[in-house]
PDB file of all heavy atoms in Angstrom:
ATOM      1  N   ALA G1315      11.826 -10.302   0.890  1.00 94.00           N
ATOM      2  CA  ALA G1315      13.306 -10.490   0.850  1.00 94.00           C
ATOM      3  C   ALA G1315      13.660 -11.404   1.970  1.00 94.00           C
ATOM      4  O   ALA G1315      14.846 -11.811   2.050  1.00 94.00           O
ATOM      5  CB  ALA G1315      14.001  -9.242   1.028  1.00 94.00           C
ATOM      6  N   GLY G1316      12.829 -11.742   2.912  1.00 93.00           N
ATOM      7  CA  GLY G1316      13.064 -12.701   3.971  1.00 93.00           C
ATOM      8  C   GLY G1316      14.245 -12.183   4.819  1.00 93.00           C
ATOM      9  O   GLY G1316      14.283 -10.980   5.204  1.00 93.00           O
ATOM     10  N   ASP G1317      15.239 -13.042   5.004  1.00 91.00           N
ATOM     11  CA  ASP G1317      16.402 -12.667   5.828  1.00 91.00           C
ATOM     12  C   ASP G1317      17.637 -12.320   4.937  1.00 91.00           C
ATOM     13  O   ASP G1317      18.734 -12.415   5.501  1.00 91.00           O
ATOM     14  CB  ASP G1317      16.742 -13.887   6.776  1.00 91.00           C
ATOM     15  CG  ASP G1317      15.690 -14.102   7.830  1.00 91.00           C
ATOM     16  OD1 ASP G1317      15.147 -13.080   8.203  1.00 91.00           O
ATOM     17  OD2 ASP G1317      15.464 -15.322   8.209  1.00 91.00           O
ATOM     18  N   ALA G1318      17.399 -11.991   3.683  1.00 90.00           N
ATOM     19  CA  ALA G1318      18.506 -11.624   2.894  1.00 90.00           C
ATOM     20  C   ALA G1318      19.409 -10.559   3.442  1.00 90.00           C
ATOM     21  O   ALA G1318      18.911  -9.533   3.909  1.00 90.00           O
ATOM     22  CB  ALA G1318      17.976 -11.202   1.473  1.00 90.00           C
ATOM     23  N   GLY G1319      20.721 -10.801   3.388  1.00 86.00           N
ATOM     24  CA  GLY G1319      21.737  -9.914   3.947  1.00 86.00           C
ATOM     25  C   GLY G1319      22.109  -8.857   2.904  1.00 86.00           C
ATOM     26  O   GLY G1319      21.538  -8.792   1.863  1.00 86.00           O
ATOM     27  N   CYS G1320      23.036  -8.044   3.393  1.00 83.00           N
ATOM     28  CA  CYS G1320      23.408  -6.876   2.629  1.00 83.00           C
ATOM     29  C   CYS G1320      23.576  -7.005   1.102  1.00 83.00           C
ATOM     30  O   CYS G1320      22.965  -6.363   0.312  1.00 83.00           O
ATOM     31  CB  CYS G1320      24.767  -6.233   3.237  1.00 83.00           C
ATOM     32  SG  CYS G1320      25.271  -4.833   2.450  1.00 83.00           S
ATOM     33  N   GLY G1321      24.472  -7.942   0.689  1.00 89.00           N
ATOM     34  CA  GLY G1321      24.705  -8.197  -0.750  1.00 89.00           C
ATOM     35  C   GLY G1321      23.598  -8.726  -1.440  1.00 89.00           C
ATOM     36  O   GLY G1321      23.199  -8.259  -2.498  1.00 89.00           O
ATOM     37  N   SER G1322      22.903  -9.721  -0.856  1.00 93.00           N
ATOM     38  CA  SER G1322      21.721 -10.271  -1.540  1.00 93.00           C
ATOM     39  C   SER G1322      20.575  -9.392  -1.505  1.00 93.00           C
ATOM     40  O   SER G1322      19.754  -9.328  -2.461  1.00 93.00           O
ATOM     41  CB  SER G1322      21.307 -11.556  -0.750  1.00 93.00           C
ATOM     42  OG  SER G1322      22.358 -12.537  -0.764  1.00 93.00           O
ATOM     43  N   LEU G1323      20.419  -8.579  -0.466  1.00 95.00           N
ATOM     44  CA  LEU G1323      19.403  -7.575  -0.377  1.00 95.00           C
ATOM     45  C   LEU G1323      19.571  -6.500  -1.535  1.00 95.00           C
ATOM     46  O   LEU G1323      18.609  -6.205  -2.202  1.00 95.00           O
ATOM     47  CB  LEU G1323      19.376  -6.909   0.967  1.00 95.00           C
ATOM     48  CG  LEU G1323      18.324  -5.962   1.233  1.00 95.00           C
ATOM     49  CD1 LEU G1323      16.815  -6.556   1.002  1.00 95.00           C
ATOM     50  CD2 LEU G1323      18.397  -5.415   2.674  1.00 95.00           C
ATOM     51  N   ALA G1324      20.766  -6.017  -1.627  1.00 95.00           N
ATOM     52  CA  ALA G1324      20.999  -4.976  -2.657  1.00 95.00           C
ATOM     53  C   ALA G1324      20.803  -5.510  -4.011  1.00 95.00           C
ATOM     54  O   ALA G1324      20.183  -4.846  -4.872  1.00 95.00           O
ATOM     55  CB  ALA G1324      22.510  -4.471  -2.488  1.00 95.00           C
ATOM     56  N   ALA G1325      21.303  -6.718  -4.327  1.00 95.00           N
ATOM     57  CA  ALA G1325      21.064  -7.397  -5.648  1.00 95.00           C
ATOM     58  C   ALA G1325      19.553  -7.557  -5.870  1.00 95.00           C
ATOM     59  O   ALA G1325      19.194  -7.318  -7.033  1.00 95.00           O
ATOM     60  CB  ALA G1325      21.790  -8.629  -5.708  1.00 95.00           C
ATOM     61  N   GLY G1326      18.851  -8.045  -4.946  1.00 95.00           N
ATOM     62  CA  GLY G1326      17.429  -8.221  -5.133  1.00 95.00           C
ATOM     63  C   GLY G1326      16.749  -6.900  -5.324  1.00 95.00           C
ATOM     64  O   GLY G1326      15.832  -6.808  -6.187  1.00 95.00           O
ATOM     65  N   LEU G1327      17.049  -5.876  -4.570  1.00 96.00           N
ATOM     66  CA  LEU G1327      16.374  -4.569  -4.760  1.00 96.00           C
ATOM     67  C   LEU G1327      16.611  -4.097  -6.208  1.00 96.00           C
ATOM     68  O   LEU G1327      15.687  -3.587  -6.853  1.00 96.00           O
ATOM     69  CB  LEU G1327      16.970  -3.551  -3.769  1.00 96.00           C
ATOM     70  CG  LEU G1327      16.532  -3.805  -2.263  1.00 96.00           C
ATOM     71  CD1 LEU G1327      17.330  -2.858  -1.394  1.00 96.00           C
ATOM     72  CD2 LEU G1327      15.021  -3.449  -2.186  1.00 96.00           C
ATOM     73  N   LYS G1328      17.854  -4.286  -6.710  1.00 96.00           N
ATOM     74  CA  LYS G1328      18.108  -3.798  -8.064  1.00 96.00           C
ATOM     75  C   LYS G1328      17.303  -4.604  -9.032  1.00 96.00           C
ATOM     76  O   LYS G1328      16.692  -4.049  -9.961  1.00 96.00           O
ATOM     77  CB  LYS G1328      19.573  -3.915  -8.403  1.00 96.00           C
ATOM     78  CG  LYS G1328      19.860  -3.425  -9.859  1.00 96.00           C
ATOM     79  CD  LYS G1328      21.266  -3.649 -10.250  1.00 96.00           C
ATOM     80  CE  LYS G1328      21.572  -3.145 -11.668  1.00 96.00           C
ATOM     81  NZ  LYS G1328      20.526  -3.060 -12.623  1.00 96.00           N
TER      82      LYS G1328
END
Side-chain angles (χ1 to χ4, degrees):
D1317 291 327
C1320 183
S1322 297
L1323 182 59
L1327 287 169
K1328 180 183 180 337

